[in-house]
Amino acid sequence: MTDQLAQIVGYVDLLAEVDTNGIEPMAHAIEMANVFKDDKAATSLPRDETLANAPHHDERGYLVPAVLGE
Amino acid sequence: MSLFQQTASEHLRSLESGDISSVELTRAYLDRIAEVDKKIGAFLRVDAQRAIDQAAQIDAKRRQRQPVGRLAGLPIAIKDILCQRGERTTCASRMLQDFRAPYDATVIARLRAADAVFLGRTNMDEFAMGGSTENSAFQLTRNPWNLERAPGGSSGGAAACVAARMAPLSIGTDTGGSIRQPAGLCGCVGLKPTYGRVSRYGLVAFASSLDQIGPLTNSVEDAALLLETIAGHDPLDSTSLDTPVPEYSQTVNQPLSGLKIGWVREHFGPGLDPEVESAVRAALGMYKSLGATLREISLPHSKYAVATYYVIAPSEASSNLARYDGVHYGYRTNEQDMLAELAAERRRLQEAGDQRGLDDLDPALVRMYRRTRAEGFGQEVKRRIMLGTYALSAGYYDAYYLKAMKVRRLIRQDFDRAFEQVDLIAGPITAEPAFKLGEMTGNPLAMYLVDLYTVSANLAGIPGLCLPCGRSKSGLPIGLQLQSPALAEERLLRGARMYEQATEWHKLQAPL
């Protein structure tokens, strides 16, 4: 894995030779800004459906290994 | 004519005229899957009974002369990366092996409203990362034209199932070529729409600024029909474009007059297989004989496209895949084993009097994250997460991510300039026909370089279409890629259809 990653990083170093002076970075293919939607409340998924995919949960929330008081 | 020589559009006309029912059509495809998919492995799951039930409901609607949707009664296969309510949506990953989507992706909702019949879910590279479908955690998919060869990827199952006539329509996704490349290697039609043309809501994210959903079919007409069904603005995806969707299927059969086609000097360099080159040049010649003008053009930054892509896509992926934490959904490591492992490590460090080691020992929650991700993700996904976090890390951000975003603009500007001179760009989809299964597995960089001709369209956000344009001497399909400016899918489809109507490549069937 380390060798493969080194090879890939070595390959992308190719970008260094491109002159990008004065070029604005392009974050998105179709540049849009400030897409707003109305601030209206809508229904969300019911809690039981949301929790149904959690690997470990009770009826109210997600359960994780103890974080405090170890 | 055998049912399986017909396109989806022809099936639809038979359904509308009452020559065939959706139940008959669906059953025929299910039988074909049962017979052929043992050899191919395109489907991860098929729900035959549900498909038949759904088909029966649509037949009943038709009989009662109720209004029906645009695809009423046509079977369709779905890449296992789109959320479908109540269905498992695995992304071919152990991480999501048991995940059941609690809602429909917008594309699924639109297909449902169009009365399409869901056949099942197709195999893919894990989280759509790969070009051979070999990165699936569950199974191999074989190329219908040669079972020793890869179907391409990441939408390998989606392409193989239409090429093997196990489904008339198929949905794939394309982040760097994942629809077009397998379409090329399997000899079918694949279309990546303009970024934002199709809503990504409910598509499990890989690289959000590059991902698009699109059709895989056996004809350009079918691609037009499927695209017009799934495209359009969606308030649930803020990047979806709020522009009207043309009725592509109504215009697809109209040839373009005065068509100017560009071929890219840089696409015909060293590394291009001579058989592929001659098939693509013959396709260009065909366009000329259909009245098009050919023009040589240059995309000077195309040699940087793969490097740009393999900075941007892993960066976005490393951020998107942070959500797989073993808490909210998906796989979690065995907690008892994990706690026992930690306790044993702690004991060892205490016995050795290693205070530093004890201070550095993971808290249980952190160890849970680590083990969950180590066990849940495959090699390629891990490789890309590491590349992405490296490219985004302080000290390297400017040299990699920021640099790549700037080169991305130069790549886009190359296309903008090219499309001032030509209407469409035509060229190869891959440098070689389908490679052997296993041939690339030890060499990820070689696998990445297969994306040479496809990643630019994703970086620039423009649409790209692949259709068959030849066969190698060994009988493998060769694909032609056409690209157009953003939102010019109508032109792209009409231009592709001109070629298709003049040739027979799309009618050839894999010898199964």
Side-chain angles (χ1 to χ4, degrees), chain A residues 17-18 24 31 53 63, chain B residues 100 304 332 400 403 409:
Chain A
E17 72 182 53
V18 187
E24 278 294 302
E31 288 165 289
N53 275 299
L63 297 176
Chain B
R100 279 183 194 275
Y304 304 109
R332 181 188 289 192
Y400 292 111
K403 183 81 182 180
R409 184 173 300 282

Side-chain angles (χ1 to χ4, degrees), chain A residues 1 4 9 11 13 15 17-18 20 23-32 49 53-55 62-63, chain B residues 85 99-100 195 238-239 303-304 308 326-329 332 379 383 400 403 405 408-409 412 459 461:
Chain A
M1 181 74 101
Q4 292 171 346
V9 170
Y11 177 75
D13 278 336
L15 295 179
E17 72 182 53
V18 187
T20 51
I23 302 297
E24 278 294 302
M26 173 175 159
H28 253 257
I30 306 296
E31 288 165 289
M32 294 190 285
E49 282 186 37
N53 275 299
Y62 303 104
L63 297 176
Chain B
R85 190 175 159 78
F99 175 73
R100 279 183 194 275
Y195 183 79
S238 64
T239 62
K303 76 179 261 211
Y304 304 109
T308 305
V327 175
H328 299 92
Y329 44 77
R332 181 188 289 192
Q379 289 290 304
R383 200 176 285 128
Y400 292 111
K403 183 81 182 180
M405 295 221 294
R408 183 176 188 179
R409 184 173 300 282
R412 169 62 186 249
L459 292 168

